[in-house]
Amino acid sequence: MYKKIFIFTLIILLFSGCKKDINEDVNTVIEENKNIIVGINYPTTGYKKIDNLINKDIEIIYNNFKDEYESFSNLTTKSELNIDYTYNKLDNNIITITINIYINSSKLDTSINYIKTYNYDINKNKILTLNDIVDNDNIKKIPKIINTYLIKNYGEFININELNNIEYNYELFSIDNDYLYIYYNPSEITDNYDDIIEILIPLNKINLSFENNQKEKIKQNVPVNNVIDINKKVVALTFDDGPSKYTDELINVLKENDAVGTFFITGNKVEIYSDTLNKAIKNGNELGNHSYNHKWLTKVNNDELHNQITKTQDIIYETLNYTPTNFRPTYGSINNNMRNNINLNIVLWNVDTMDWKYKSVDKIVSRATKNTKDLDIILMHDTRKRTVDAVKKIIPVLKEQGFTFVTVRELQEIKKLRSNG
Ligand code: ZN
């Protein structure tokens, strides 16, 4: 896919002012006289808008170089201009080109190295800026990703304390099927590093606004290994407001009893309890979205509503490589605005154990088991010890009544399968 052509091997040939097309795709300029050596390779895409832009830039660089160095004579070394490029055309008709410019100055006895990038949408006939392919919400995530990347990969050159003050521009970027690349030329970010800084952002960390096959490829950390007889009675245990210090034991209880549950979690606890949540996923339990910090969502504006949902989706994906499909409204409170603006299934319940209210384990068990029917969803909270103790009793009682335990997602699937059958 990548074409990277270096001209250095050809420079031994001596041409003067010779401009020659190697083929339709690559333009080459090779030139040598007593003061300078020029070796330029640049692409022609066949699309005027981007070709004109590249031609213009190359011409400027070439002319500036000649103006500055052609008449300057240094008896021992010649000044050099080298340009090469990478060219990538994505499946979705985006052309992405990086041009590398290298100048070795015999005047100053230094070299300069920088890049230019060009991204072009063939379908729209448009030169793309980063704002054209990454929406505002995702643009906001980029500085944090860059900072983390810089600390990890360029930490010895960059003063970490200063990173938070940098206002990043995204003028230089390119894309392939896996990454968004953001570049900074030397001294744009730090003077301590004299080469181009390249930051790789996996495409699954940011949603691109254009259609990208990558979206479908996002890995789901969802083991689907529960074998369920869809003709048997099923019930879904759900646990809100966690994870908490009781969640780990609850996961063990479910596993010992060959049961699964669905945890509607708040985003602010995901990182702290990532081990617990990974174990929950591994055991076949489901994670659902229950807002970021348990705000009362019918009482917030749409920006905050959006923020509460997406921040939670993002942190669950980034931390656990998992994407919830179900959402449970805080306080069970829901209105039409939420129905219209939340892009997840909204899941309430049929059986309320009132475990937040009743201190008696037996009372909770009784509420969970007395009138429970096929396809019911039971509401509990994994934030108290008594709920864990109640679950230890609830599972055998419901099994005795002929129930199989499923996640909410499985319950939704079973409903579909039964109605099709
Ligand atoms: Zn809640």
Side-chain angles (χ1 to χ4, degrees):
M1 204 79 175
Y2 266 111
K3 247 196 272 178
K4 182 155 190 169
I5 297 148
F6 289 96
I7 196 73
F8 298 96
T9 50
L10 299 173
I11 288 171
I12 22 166
L13 300 168
L14 202 90
F15 291 101
S16 190
C18 167
K19 187 167 177 172
K20 188 181 164 229
D21 286 346
I22 288 179
N23 58 42
E24 283 187 337
D25 298 315
V26 188
N27 297 303
T28 302
V29 181
I30 299 169
E31 188 178 338
E32 179 162 1
N33 62 36
K34 66 180 172 47
N35 292 331
I36 60 168
I37 300 175
V38 174
I40 299 175
N41 263 357
Y42 67 99
T44 299
T45 65
Y47 299 97
K48 267 196 185 139
K49 217 174 212 169
I50 182 168
D51 287 344
N52 290 345
L53 197 62
I54 294 173
N55 286 347
K56 213 177 81 195
D57 283 348
I58 297 279
E59 208 177 305
I60 292 171
I61 295 165
Y62 174 72
N63 289 334
N64 286 347
F65 174 79
K66 296 244 286 186
D67 288 349
E68 184 148 10
Y69 298 107
E70 197 165 33
S71 58
F72 177 80
S73 181
N74 177 322
L75 291 177
T76 52
T77 48
K78 297 179 182 186
S79 289
E80 256 181 77
L81 169 65
N82 284 292
I83 298 180
D84 66 73
Y85 68 92
T86 59
Y87 175 105
N88 195 6
K89 188 176 161 202
L90 304 179
D91 298 338
N92 53 18
N93 274 346
I94 306 274
I95 290 177
T96 176
I97 293 170
T98 333
I99 293 198
N100 308 286
I101 301 110
Y102 171 83
I103 295 172
N104 192 23
S105 157
S106 63
K107 242 192 225 177
L108 303 170
D109 198 24
T110 55
S111 58
I112 305 157
N113 190 12
Y114 67 100
I115 65 166
K116 286 181 161 282
T117 62
Y118 306 85
N119 295 278
Y120 173 74
D121 186 330
I122 296 173
N123 297 339
K124 292 181 184 150
N125 184 27
K126 189 172 193 263
I127 303 289
L128 300 172
T129 66
L130 197 64
N131 282 294
D132 293 321
I133 57 168
V134 184
D135 66 26
N136 269 335
D137 279 342
N138 282 292
I139 285 262
K140 284 185 209 146
K141 289 189 210 162
I142 293 180
K144 202 178 153 196
I145 299 174
I146 293 183
N147 283 350
T148 309
Y149 192 91
L150 289 176
I151 292 166
K152 217 168 156 185
N153 296 281
Y154 297 91
E156 55 192 297
F157 306 106
I158 288 168
N159 183 343
I160 290 160
N161 298 325
E162 282 170 17
L163 280 182
N164 290 327
N165 302 324
I166 297 177
E167 284 216 21
Y168 293 111
N169 69 60
Y170 310 120
E171 276 154 28
L172 301 172
F173 69 95
S174 66
I175 358 165
D176 65 18
N177 287 323
D178 302 311
Y179 293 98
L180 166 69
Y181 302 81
I182 293 177
Y183 308 94
Y184 295 98
N185 279 322
S187 82
E188 267 196 293
I189 288 189
T190 173
D191 289 329
N192 302 329
Y193 187 72
D194 62 3
D195 206 345
I196 293 144
I197 288 179
E198 181 185 57
I199 290 138
L200 279 68
I201 302 178
L203 291 189
N204 58 23
K205 283 204 173 178
I206 44 161
N207 288 314
L208 296 184
S209 323
F210 61 69
E211 276 312 308
N212 186 295
N213 301 336
Q214 206 55 29
K215 278 189 183 167
E216 292 149 29
K217 281 195 226 154
I218 291 177
K219 271 192 297 167
Q220 291 286 330
N221 189 352
V222 186
V224 186
N225 46 19
N226 301 330
V227 180
I228 303 158
D229 180 348
I230 65 160
N231 298 310
K232 279 176 101 176
K233 288 197 293 183
V234 294
V235 65
L237 300 174
T238 64
F239 305 96
D240 287 11
D241 299 354
S244 76
K245 59 179 175 175
Y246 305 109
T247 307
D248 196 75
E249 190 192 346
L250 179 56
I251 292 166
N252 293 341
V253 169
L254 291 169
K255 181 160 175 149
E256 284 155 18
N257 286 280
D258 209 15
V260 290
T262 301
F263 295 85
F264 287 99
I265 59 179
T266 56
N268 59 352
K269 296 183 193 158
V270 169
E271 283 175 329
I272 311 166
Y273 287 101
S274 62
D275 289 348
T276 302
L277 293 172
N278 267 318
K279 182 163 134 186
I281 297 166
K282 209 177 115 222
N283 289 1
N285 299 289
E286 177 181 342
L287 304 184
N289 185 324
H290 193 47
S291 84
Y292 188 75
N293 54 4
H294 214 271
K295 279 236 167 108
W296 199 313
L297 297 180
T298 49
K299 298 181 178 178
V300 300
N301 65 27
N302 274 355
D303 281 350
E304 178 62 15
L305 172 65
H306 180 75
N307 198 19
Q308 287 277 329
I309 306 291
T310 53
K311 226 167 131 183
T312 303
Q313 289 297 103
D314 290 349
I315 200 160
I316 292 173
Y317 182 74
E318 280 160 22
T319 313
L320 307 166
N321 193 24
Y322 183 98
T323 304
T325 55
N326 288 315
F327 167 77
R328 172 162 287 160
T330 48
Y331 309 99
S333 180
I334 177 90
N335 60 20
N336 276 336
N337 183 51
M338 284 169 69
R339 283 188 192 95
N340 294 333
N341 285 296
I342 295 176
N343 197 19
L344 297 166
N345 301 310
I346 295 172
V347 176
L348 293 168
W349 56 86
N350 315 91
V351 178
D352 187 351
T353 60
M354 306 279 259
D355 61 339
W356 52 273
K357 182 170 148 190
Y358 292 119
K359 295 201 170 74
S360 149
V361 169
D362 287 338
K363 179 90 184 171
I364 299 168
V365 174
S366 154
R367 290 191 62 97
T369 56
K370 226 166 113 193
N371 298 309
T372 300
K373 319 174 298 296
D374 185 27
L375 295 171
D376 272 353
I377 295 174
I378 301 178
L379 171 65
M380 284 179 273
H381 299 80
D382 53 323
T383 49
R384 288 185 183 82
K385 175 76 170 113
R386 60 177 181 252
T387 298
V388 181
D389 294 336
V391 170
K392 287 179 191 166
K393 296 185 169 183
I394 290 167
I395 296 174
V397 174
L398 288 175
K399 274 192 175 166
E400 188 62 34
Q401 295 175 15
F403 283 101
T404 303
F405 295 88
V406 295
T407 65
V408 171
R409 230 182 240 183
E410 288 163 346
L411 187 138
Q412 291 159 337
E413 280 306 306
I414 290 166
K415 268 190 185 169
K416 263 192 237 159
L417 288 168
R418 283 189 192 164
S419 67
N420 293 340

